[in-house]
Amino acid sequence: MTVWEFTAFVWILSTLAGFLGALTGLGGGVIVVPALTLALGVDIKYAIGASLVSVIATSSGAAAAYVREGFSNIRIGMFLEIATTIGAIIGAFLAGRFSTHALAIIFGLVLVQAAYQSFKSPPGDVLVESDALARRLRLASSYPVGGKKEGYGVRNVSAGFSIMFGAGALSGLLGIGSGAVKVIAMDRAMRIPFKVSTTTSNFMIGVTAAASAGLYLSRGFIDPRVAMPVMLGVLGGALLGAKVLVHAHVRTLRMVFAFVILALAIEMIASGITGRI
Amino acid sequence: MDDRRLETIIGRLLQTGVLLAAAVVAAGGALYLVQHYADHVNYRHFAAGGPAVQTLSGIIQSAAHLNSEGLMQIGLVLLILTPVARVMMAVVGFLLEKDRLYTVVSLIVLLILTFSLIHAT
């Protein structure tokens, strides 16, 4: 394959991944890494390096748009980032030690979880009361619902914090934003409203990824020849996706996306086991 | 200064940083394509690219010589620094809000990020 063909193909693919990733809240990485490794035979270490920088681009690039909507909660984000960044550093350390096959299999399993997560609907009821720890950390806030502000409480901070540590480790290990795991921590454990948890998670993803980026860089995982089209594509696609996100009804799309991810997951696991990756 | 205003400023800053980084990456990418478009590539087996793309000093040096890979990589480094800038802004913002707890929280996050980035120097 020539440089021109490779770059063009990767760019188009990444744009699509970024767009769908932003709409579904699962991020572009979950598509980009399998696509690069399975379709183009790129070593998974290059793929996760490129994915990691695109994750940062998406997170930082969409921040302004999300903030305008008033959903994200900077205190929750910052507090949980202590867990995700420590996790990310540990994950990035491990990424250098794991074999390519092992990484592919773990990646596949994470994809299965992300797909499964997409089929479940978020818990609907918003709790107003916070528990003691959340009150002490002043995590409760309000968000816009149909034009007016609605307050919400936060629960189970320590459970959320622990899950976030795991999310960070997966992010560092696999070069993804691990948005699906972050949503479990905030949505399910801490009972934060869905829109707040997805936008806060988007805000956190960049900081988490930056924590493993230094290690990735020093190991040579970030190869500019691969990362350039991935980053530019995912960023462009994600910015487009963020523009329509607030208006879009994403449930159906999420379902379709989940099936795609599931298929990729099976392929990743199979390739990892048979040694093709 | 309230949280909302703080977040708006941080959001803008991040967006500007990302666009700047993307512009540098795109410029380096254009140069790379012009110089190498017909080369054959194969990324099947991982091999680290050397100091010119792996260490900060190497990247800066390579970019200063207008090497296309160095330029792309320095754009990517700028990108990596945007979340770090975000955390720094949050530290300052919480200081201005006189919120001691969250000043400390954001300082801890900043410390962890610095620890990681030191690896690339």
Side-chain angles (χ1 to χ4, degrees), chain A residues 1-4 41 43 46 53 60 64 68 72 75 78 81 137-139 203 211 218-220 222 225, chain B residues 3-4 7 15 18 36-37 39-41 43-44 46-47 54 73 79 82-83 86 90 97 99 102 112 116:
Chain A
M1 199 173 237
T2 66
V3 164
W4 167 246
D43 188 295
Y46 290 123
V53 291
S60 295
R68 245 196 319 278
S72 60
R75 279 163 215 268
M78 196 57 77
E81 271 160 11
L137 291 164
R138 303 196 306 277
L139 296 177
F203 222 35
S218 67
R219 288 231 183 78
I222 301 173
R225 299 168 303 170
Chain B
D3 275 9
R4 185 72 196 284
E7 283 183 67
Q15 207 166 36
V18 169
H36 298 280
Y37 67 95
D39 293 5
H40 283 268
V41 282
Y43 299 105
R44 218 161 271 282
F46 176 74
Q54 279 176 278
Q73 197 74 330
L79 183 70
T82 56
R86 188 214 137 186
E97 284 184 24
D99 186 332
Y102 278 90
I112 299 167
S116 161

Side-chain angles (χ1 to χ4, degrees), chain A residues 3-4 7 228, chain B residues 26-39 68:
Chain A
V3 164
W4 167 246
T7 308
M228 178 266 291
Chain B
L31 189 64
Y32 168 68
L33 282 179
V34 167
Q35 290 171 342
H36 298 280
Y37 67 95
D39 293 5
S68 61

Side-chain angles (χ1 to χ4, degrees), chain A residues 150-212:
Chain A
E150 197 168 295
Y152 58 85
V154 177
R155 304 273 177 101
N156 306 323
V157 178
S158 39
F161 195 83
S162 320
I163 303 171
M164 279 299 175
F165 174 80
L170 285 177
S171 169
L173 185 64
L174 305 172
I176 55 174
S178 57
V181 183
K182 288 195 171 77
V183 166
I184 298 184
M186 292 200 273
D187 240 56
R188 315 241 162 216
M190 299 171 72
R191 305 298 300 271
I192 300 164
F194 186 66
K195 281 265 182 184
V196 177
S197 60
T198 45
T199 50
T200 304
S201 152
N202 175 78
F203 222 35
M204 293 173 60
I205 280 170
V207 177
T208 309
S212 27

